[in-house]
Amino acid sequence: MEDADSFLFKFKGYHFGREELDIGFIENLDDFVIRESDVFIITYPKSGTIWFQQILCLIYFEEHRKGIGNLETVERIPFIEYNPQKVDFAERPSPRLFVTHIPCYLVPRGLKNKKAKVIYIYRNPKDVMCSFFHFSKELTPSSTDNFVEFMKLFLEGEVVGSLWFDHIKGWYEHKSLFNIQFLMYEEMKKDLRGSVLKVCKFLGKELSEEDLDAVVRQATFENMKNDPRANYDDKLKTCFGIQKKGHFFRKGTIGDWKNHMTAEQNEKFDKIFQTEMKDIPLKFIWDMNEE
Protein backbone atom coordinates (compact mmCIF):
# COMPACT_ATOMS: atom_id res chain seq x y z
CA MET A 1 0.00 0.00 0.00
CA GLU A 2 1.43 3.33 -1.06
CA ASP A 3 1.64 6.44 1.07
CA ALA A 4 -1.78 8.08 1.13
CA ASP A 5 -0.15 11.46 0.51
CA SER A 6 0.52 10.36 -3.06
CA PHE A 7 -3.19 10.25 -3.93
CA LEU A 8 -4.90 12.25 -1.15
CA PHE A 9 -4.79 16.02 -0.70
CA LYS A 10 -5.74 17.23 2.77
CA PHE A 11 -7.27 20.69 2.99
CA LYS A 12 -8.76 22.07 6.22
CA GLY A 13 -9.09 18.57 7.62
CA TYR A 14 -10.77 17.05 4.58
CA HIS A 15 -9.30 14.52 2.12
CA PHE A 16 -9.69 15.29 -1.57
CA GLY A 17 -8.40 13.05 -4.34
CA ARG A 18 -5.35 14.66 -5.98
CA GLU A 19 -6.42 13.46 -9.44
CA GLU A 20 -8.07 16.35 -11.34
CA LEU A 21 -8.40 18.51 -8.18
CA ASP A 22 -8.36 22.27 -8.82
CA ILE A 23 -6.44 23.25 -5.69
CA GLY A 24 -6.47 26.98 -6.42
CA PHE A 25 -10.22 26.94 -6.84
CA ILE A 26 -10.72 25.02 -3.60
CA GLU A 27 -8.62 27.52 -1.67
CA ASN A 28 -11.01 30.30 -2.75
CA LEU A 29 -14.24 28.30 -2.72
CA ASP A 30 -15.74 30.29 0.13
CA ASP A 31 -15.95 33.31 -2.20
CA PHE A 32 -17.54 31.44 -5.12
CA VAL A 33 -20.64 33.44 -6.13
CA ILE A 34 -23.82 31.42 -5.72
CA ARG A 35 -26.95 32.09 -7.78
CA GLU A 36 -30.44 31.55 -6.38
CA SER A 37 -31.16 29.10 -9.22
CA ASP A 38 -28.11 26.90 -8.49
CA VAL A 39 -28.68 23.27 -7.55
CA PHE A 40 -26.05 21.24 -5.70
CA ILE A 41 -25.98 17.45 -5.41
CA ILE A 42 -24.04 16.55 -2.27
CA THR A 43 -22.83 13.01 -1.65
CA TYR A 44 -20.18 11.08 0.17
CA PRO A 45 -18.30 9.00 -2.47
CA LYS A 46 -20.02 5.82 -3.66
CA SER A 47 -23.47 6.91 -2.49
CA GLY A 48 -25.29 7.19 -5.81
CA THR A 49 -23.53 10.27 -7.16
CA ILE A 50 -23.48 9.32 -10.84
CA TRP A 51 -26.99 7.88 -10.64
CA PHE A 52 -28.37 11.13 -9.32
CA GLN A 53 -26.43 13.15 -11.89
CA GLN A 54 -28.32 11.18 -14.53
CA ILE A 55 -31.67 11.69 -12.80
CA LEU A 56 -31.14 15.44 -12.60
CA CYS A 57 -30.00 15.61 -16.24
CA LEU A 58 -33.14 13.76 -17.30
CA ILE A 59 -35.34 16.12 -15.26
CA TYR A 60 -33.74 19.35 -16.49
CA PHE A 61 -32.69 18.68 -20.08
CA GLU A 62 -35.25 17.64 -22.68
CA GLU A 63 -32.57 16.71 -25.21
CA HIS A 64 -30.98 14.40 -22.64
CA ARG A 65 -34.36 12.85 -21.89
CA LYS A 66 -35.11 12.33 -25.59
CA GLY A 67 -31.64 11.03 -26.40
CA ILE A 68 -30.84 13.76 -28.92
CA GLY A 69 -27.98 15.30 -26.93
CA ASN A 70 -24.58 13.68 -26.60
CA LEU A 71 -23.23 15.69 -23.68
CA GLU A 72 -22.14 13.46 -20.81
CA THR A 73 -23.77 13.96 -17.44
CA VAL A 74 -20.47 15.09 -15.93
CA GLU A 75 -20.39 17.95 -18.44
CA ARG A 76 -23.98 18.97 -17.72
CA ILE A 77 -23.49 18.60 -13.96
CA PRO A 78 -19.79 19.05 -13.23
CA PHE A 79 -17.94 18.39 -10.00
CA ILE A 80 -17.19 21.77 -8.51
CA GLU A 81 -13.93 20.61 -6.90
CA TYR A 82 -12.61 18.45 -9.76
CA ASN A 83 -12.27 20.73 -12.77
CA PRO A 84 -9.27 19.64 -14.88
CA GLN A 85 -10.41 21.70 -17.89
CA LYS A 86 -10.53 24.83 -15.68
CA VAL A 87 -14.08 25.59 -16.86
CA ASP A 88 -15.21 29.06 -15.78
CA PHE A 89 -18.37 28.24 -13.85
CA ALA A 90 -19.31 31.93 -13.75
CA GLU A 91 -19.97 31.74 -17.50
CA ARG A 92 -22.38 28.81 -17.29
CA PRO A 93 -26.03 29.69 -17.95
CA SER A 94 -28.62 29.34 -15.21
CA PRO A 95 -29.77 27.10 -13.75
CA ARG A 96 -26.32 25.78 -12.94
CA LEU A 97 -26.23 22.22 -11.66
CA PHE A 98 -23.24 21.03 -9.64
CA VAL A 99 -22.18 17.87 -7.85
CA THR A 100 -19.70 17.67 -4.99
CA HIS A 101 -18.39 15.51 -2.16
CA ILE A 102 -17.27 18.45 -0.02
CA PRO A 103 -18.28 18.74 3.67
CA CYS A 104 -20.68 21.46 4.78
CA TYR A 105 -17.94 23.60 6.33
CA LEU A 106 -16.14 24.04 2.99
CA VAL A 107 -19.08 25.14 0.82
CA PRO A 108 -19.30 28.69 -0.57
CA ARG A 109 -20.79 31.01 2.03
CA GLY A 110 -23.49 32.07 -0.45
CA LEU A 111 -25.01 28.60 -0.30
CA LYS A 112 -26.12 29.34 3.25
CA ASN A 113 -28.68 31.98 2.22
CA LYS A 114 -31.25 29.18 1.78
CA LYS A 115 -32.13 30.17 -1.79
CA ALA A 116 -30.02 27.83 -3.90
CA LYS A 117 -31.13 24.20 -3.56
CA VAL A 118 -29.11 21.36 -2.06
CA ILE A 119 -29.94 17.66 -2.40
CA TYR A 120 -28.01 15.34 -0.08
CA ILE A 121 -28.00 11.70 -1.20
CA TYR A 122 -27.02 9.22 1.48
CA ARG A 123 -26.58 5.45 1.48
CA ASN A 124 -26.07 2.89 4.20
CA PRO A 125 -22.36 3.08 5.04
CA LYS A 126 -21.67 -0.65 4.92
CA ASP A 127 -22.58 -0.74 1.22
CA VAL A 128 -20.72 2.55 0.72
CA MET A 129 -17.59 1.00 2.21
CA CYS A 130 -17.81 -2.17 0.11
CA SER A 131 -18.49 -0.26 -3.10
CA PHE A 132 -15.64 2.13 -2.26
CA PHE A 133 -13.32 -0.84 -1.68
CA HIS A 134 -13.97 -2.25 -5.16
CA PHE A 135 -13.74 1.19 -6.76
CA SER A 136 -10.40 1.85 -5.07
CA LYS A 137 -9.04 -1.60 -5.84
CA GLU A 138 -9.94 -1.44 -9.54
CA LEU A 139 -9.44 2.23 -10.34
CA THR A 140 -6.94 3.61 -7.85
CA PRO A 141 -3.80 1.44 -7.87
CA SER A 142 -2.37 3.33 -4.89
CA SER A 143 -5.11 2.05 -2.59
CA THR A 144 -5.04 -1.25 -0.75
CA ASP A 145 -6.60 -4.34 -2.29
CA ASN A 146 -7.11 -5.90 1.14
CA PHE A 147 -10.62 -5.48 2.55
CA VAL A 148 -9.50 -5.64 6.19
CA GLU A 149 -7.01 -2.84 5.56
CA PHE A 150 -9.56 -0.82 3.63
CA MET A 151 -12.17 -1.10 6.37
CA LYS A 152 -9.60 0.28 8.81
CA LEU A 153 -8.86 3.22 6.47
CA PHE A 154 -12.57 3.85 5.93
CA LEU A 155 -13.33 3.90 9.66
CA GLU A 156 -10.39 6.24 10.26
CA GLY A 157 -11.41 8.59 7.45
CA GLU A 158 -8.15 8.03 5.56
CA VAL A 159 -9.91 7.91 2.19
CA VAL A 160 -11.23 10.45 -0.33
CA GLY A 161 -14.17 12.10 1.40
CA SER A 162 -12.65 11.60 4.86
CA LEU A 163 -14.84 10.04 7.56
CA TRP A 164 -18.35 9.07 6.43
CA PHE A 165 -19.79 9.81 9.87
CA ASP A 166 -18.36 13.33 9.91
CA HIS A 167 -19.66 14.04 6.42
CA ILE A 168 -23.29 13.04 6.96
CA LYS A 169 -23.47 14.41 10.51
CA GLY A 170 -21.99 17.72 9.44
CA TRP A 171 -24.62 18.21 6.76
CA TYR A 172 -27.50 17.00 8.92
CA GLU A 173 -26.55 18.99 12.00
CA HIS A 174 -26.26 22.19 9.92
CA LYS A 175 -29.30 21.57 7.72
CA SER A 176 -31.01 24.70 9.05
CA LEU A 177 -28.39 26.78 7.22
CA PHE A 178 -29.40 25.40 3.82
CA ASN A 179 -32.38 24.87 1.55
CA ILE A 180 -31.76 21.14 1.65
CA GLN A 181 -33.55 17.89 0.85
CA PHE A 182 -32.18 14.58 2.18
CA LEU A 183 -32.81 11.56 -0.03
CA MET A 184 -31.90 7.97 0.71
CA TYR A 185 -30.21 5.86 -2.00
CA GLU A 186 -32.14 2.78 -0.91
CA GLU A 187 -35.42 4.68 -1.16
CA MET A 188 -34.57 5.50 -4.77
CA LYS A 189 -33.82 1.82 -5.42
CA LYS A 190 -37.14 0.73 -3.95
CA ASP A 191 -39.34 3.50 -5.38
CA LEU A 192 -37.57 5.39 -8.16
CA ARG A 193 -40.74 7.02 -9.47
CA GLY A 194 -41.76 8.26 -6.03
CA SER A 195 -38.24 9.58 -5.43
CA VAL A 196 -38.21 11.45 -8.76
CA LEU A 197 -41.56 13.03 -7.91
CA LYS A 198 -40.21 14.10 -4.51
CA VAL A 199 -37.16 15.66 -6.16
CA CYS A 200 -39.28 17.45 -8.77
CA LYS A 201 -41.48 18.91 -6.05
CA PHE A 202 -38.44 20.17 -4.15
CA LEU A 203 -36.97 21.69 -7.32
CA GLY A 204 -40.25 23.18 -8.48
CA LYS A 205 -40.08 21.19 -11.72
CA GLU A 206 -43.29 19.89 -13.30
CA LEU A 207 -42.99 16.99 -15.72
CA SER A 208 -45.70 15.47 -17.86
CA GLU A 209 -46.54 11.82 -17.24
CA GLU A 210 -44.73 10.97 -20.47
CA ASP A 211 -41.59 12.82 -19.40
CA LEU A 212 -41.75 11.34 -15.90
CA ASP A 213 -41.96 7.86 -17.43
CA ALA A 214 -38.92 8.68 -19.59
CA VAL A 215 -36.91 9.83 -16.58
CA VAL A 216 -37.72 6.71 -14.56
CA ARG A 217 -37.10 4.35 -17.47
CA GLN A 218 -33.71 5.82 -18.39
CA ALA A 219 -32.55 6.17 -14.78
CA THR A 220 -32.72 2.46 -13.99
CA PHE A 221 -29.34 0.91 -13.20
CA GLU A 222 -29.25 -1.35 -16.25
CA ASN A 223 -30.22 1.40 -18.69
CA MET A 224 -27.60 3.72 -17.20
CA LYS A 225 -24.98 0.99 -17.44
CA ASN A 226 -25.57 0.95 -21.20
CA ASP A 227 -25.81 4.73 -21.67
CA PRO A 228 -22.37 6.16 -22.57
CA ARG A 229 -23.51 9.64 -21.52
CA ALA A 230 -24.20 8.44 -17.99
CA ASN A 231 -22.06 5.43 -17.16
CA TYR A 232 -18.59 7.04 -16.94
CA ASP A 233 -17.09 4.09 -18.85
CA ASP A 234 -15.00 6.50 -20.93
CA LYS A 235 -13.53 7.81 -17.67
CA LEU A 236 -11.86 4.44 -17.19
CA LYS A 237 -9.57 5.45 -20.06
CA THR A 238 -9.43 9.24 -19.87
CA CYS A 239 -9.12 9.62 -16.08
CA PHE A 240 -7.65 6.33 -14.91
CA GLY A 241 -5.77 5.11 -18.00
CA ILE A 242 -7.53 1.75 -17.81
CA GLN A 243 -7.86 0.14 -21.24
CA LYS A 244 -9.53 -3.09 -20.23
CA LYS A 245 -13.07 -3.84 -21.24
CA GLY A 246 -15.45 -3.29 -18.36
CA HIS A 247 -17.96 -1.03 -16.68
CA PHE A 248 -17.52 1.83 -14.25
CA PHE A 249 -20.70 0.60 -12.55
CA ARG A 250 -20.54 -2.62 -10.58
CA LYS A 251 -23.75 -3.75 -8.82
CA GLY A 252 -25.59 -0.82 -7.30
CA THR A 253 -27.48 -3.17 -4.98
CA ILE A 254 -28.67 -3.01 -1.38
CA GLY A 255 -27.04 -5.33 1.14
CA ASP A 256 -23.92 -6.31 -0.82
CA TRP A 257 -21.97 -5.74 2.42
CA LYS A 258 -23.16 -9.20 3.51
CA ASN A 259 -20.92 -10.68 0.84
CA HIS A 260 -17.86 -8.91 2.27
CA MET A 261 -18.09 -8.46 6.01
CA THR A 262 -17.57 -11.15 8.61
CA ALA A 263 -19.86 -11.34 11.65
CA GLU A 264 -17.07 -9.83 13.75
CA GLN A 265 -16.52 -6.96 11.32
CA ASN A 266 -20.26 -6.31 11.17
CA GLU A 267 -20.54 -6.24 14.95
CA LYS A 268 -17.65 -3.78 15.18
CA PHE A 269 -19.19 -1.57 12.52
CA ASP A 270 -22.60 -1.63 14.23
CA LYS A 271 -21.12 -0.50 17.54
CA ILE A 272 -19.36 2.43 15.90
CA PHE A 273 -22.48 3.33 13.89
CA GLN A 274 -24.73 3.30 16.96
CA THR A 275 -22.32 5.51 18.89
CA GLU A 276 -21.70 7.99 16.08
CA MET A 277 -25.27 8.23 14.80
CA LYS A 278 -27.27 8.12 18.04
CA ASP A 279 -28.39 11.74 17.65
CA ILE A 280 -29.07 11.63 13.89
CA PRO A 281 -32.67 10.50 13.21
CA LEU A 282 -32.17 9.66 9.53
CA LYS A 283 -33.61 6.34 8.41
CA PHE A 284 -31.29 3.63 7.04
CA ILE A 285 -32.02 0.47 5.08
CA TRP A 286 -29.46 -2.34 5.29
CA ASP A 287 -31.18 -5.07 3.32
CA MET A 288 -33.33 -5.11 0.15
CA ASN A 289 -36.13 -6.91 2.03
CA GLU A 290 -36.44 -4.24 4.71
CA GLU A 291 -39.49 -2.02 4.64
Side-chain angles (χ1 to χ4, degrees):
M1 183 170 63
E2 292 185 20
D3 183 359
D5 287 344
S6 65
F7 61 95
L8 294 178
F9 178 78
K10 193 170 186 178
F11 178 72
K12 295 186 178 179
Y14 178 79
H15 288 305
F16 291 94
R18 285 189 182 274
E19 193 81 32
E20 299 191 330
L21 180 66
D22 187 343
I23 295 173
F25 181 76
I26 289 301
E27 290 174 338
N28 295 285
L29 188 56
D30 192 45
D31 297 322
F32 180 73
V33 178
I34 297 291
R35 300 175 192 165
E36 293 184 11
S37 58
D38 287 346
V39 178
F40 279 76
I41 303 169
I42 311 285
T43 65
Y44 184 86
K46 310 312 296 174
S47 300
T49 314
I50 301 168
W51 186 18
F52 202 75
Q53 274 178 295
Q54 170 75 336
I55 290 172
L56 221 55
C57 278
L58 292 166
I59 290 173
Y60 272 90
F61 302 107
E62 183 180 10
E63 65 269 25
H64 196 81
R65 204 160 52 238
K66 293 185 175 178
I68 56 178
N70 292 320
L71 271 183
E72 294 181 16
T73 54
V74 73
E75 293 180 56
R76 294 188 187 277
I77 310 181
F79 270 91
I80 198 165
E81 65 265 47
Y82 300 109
N83 182 20
Q85 279 80 39
K86 297 290 192 292
V87 173
D88 186 351
F89 295 138
E91 295 184 356
R92 292 179 75 92
S94 296
R96 298 181 305 183
L97 312 176
F98 296 109
V99 63
T100 182
H101 294 320
I102 59 178
C104 68
Y105 65 85
L106 287 182
V107 298
R109 72 170 77 96
L111 198 56
K112 298 174 183 176
N113 66 10
K114 297 189 179 182
K115 292 179 180 176
K117 292 182 170 67
V118 176
I119 301 172
Y120 188 99
I121 311 296
Y122 71 96
R123 182 184 189 185
N124 91 63
K126 294 178 187 177
D127 279 337
V128 168
M129 179 177 67
C130 294
S131 178
F132 210 158
F133 167 67
H134 283 282
F135 176 82
S136 298
K137 185 173 67 170
E138 295 295 325
L139 303 180
T140 333
S142 50
S143 290
T144 179
D145 60 0
N146 180 292
F147 183 73
V148 174
E149 289 180 359
F150 186 82
M151 180 170 170
K152 183 176 184 292
L153 293 173
F154 183 82
L155 291 174
E156 291 175 350
E158 294 300 316
V159 292
V160 174
S162 290
L163 188 62
W164 180 90
F165 297 104
D166 288 347
H167 196 278
I168 191 168
K169 287 196 300 182
W171 277 100
Y172 189 83
E173 289 169 349
H174 294 90
K175 65 183 187 298
S176 63
L177 299 176
F178 304 96
N179 180 10
I180 190 168
Q181 167 94 55
F182 284 83
L183 193 64
M184 180 169 50
Y185 175 96
E186 291 80 6
E187 185 180 344
M188 294 197 297
K189 290 291 290 186
K190 286 174 170 285
D191 181 12
L192 182 54
R193 188 183 184 87
S195 297
V196 171
L197 283 169
K198 183 186 290 188
V199 169
C200 285
K201 182 178 180 181
F202 176 67
L203 296 173
K205 301 287 289 183
E206 289 190 19
L207 296 180
S208 66
E209 284 298 310
E210 180 184 357
D211 286 339
L212 180 62
D213 288 342
V215 172
V216 174
R217 181 178 65 254
Q218 293 180 66
T220 61
F221 187 82
E222 282 307 314
N223 283 341
M224 276 189 63
K225 201 168 185 176
N226 296 314
D227 184 347
R229 301 170 307 168
N231 60 26
Y232 273 49
D233 281 355
D234 284 346
K235 301 301 179 208
L236 292 175
K237 297 176 183 177
T238 59
C239 295
F240 300 100
I242 295 174
Q243 302 297 322
K244 69 179 182 180
K245 190 175 181 180
H247 286 296
F248 194 96
F249 290 160
R250 198 174 63 88
K251 289 185 177 180
T253 55
I254 302 173
D256 190 45
W257 60 268
K258 294 179 179 179
N259 299 317
H260 296 78
M261 299 176 71
T262 64
E264 185 180 359
Q265 288 171 332
N266 186 45
E267 185 179 351
K268 176 184 177 181
F269 199 105
D270 283 345
K271 285 181 180 178
I272 295 171
F273 181 89
Q274 288 157 14
T275 300
E276 292 280 351
M277 300 294 287
K278 64 181 186 299
D279 298 322
I280 306 296
L282 288 171
K283 178 185 176 185
F284 286 87
I285 291 178
W286 307 93
D287 183 272
M288 192 62 190
N289 297 319
E290 280 184 55
E291 290 300 324

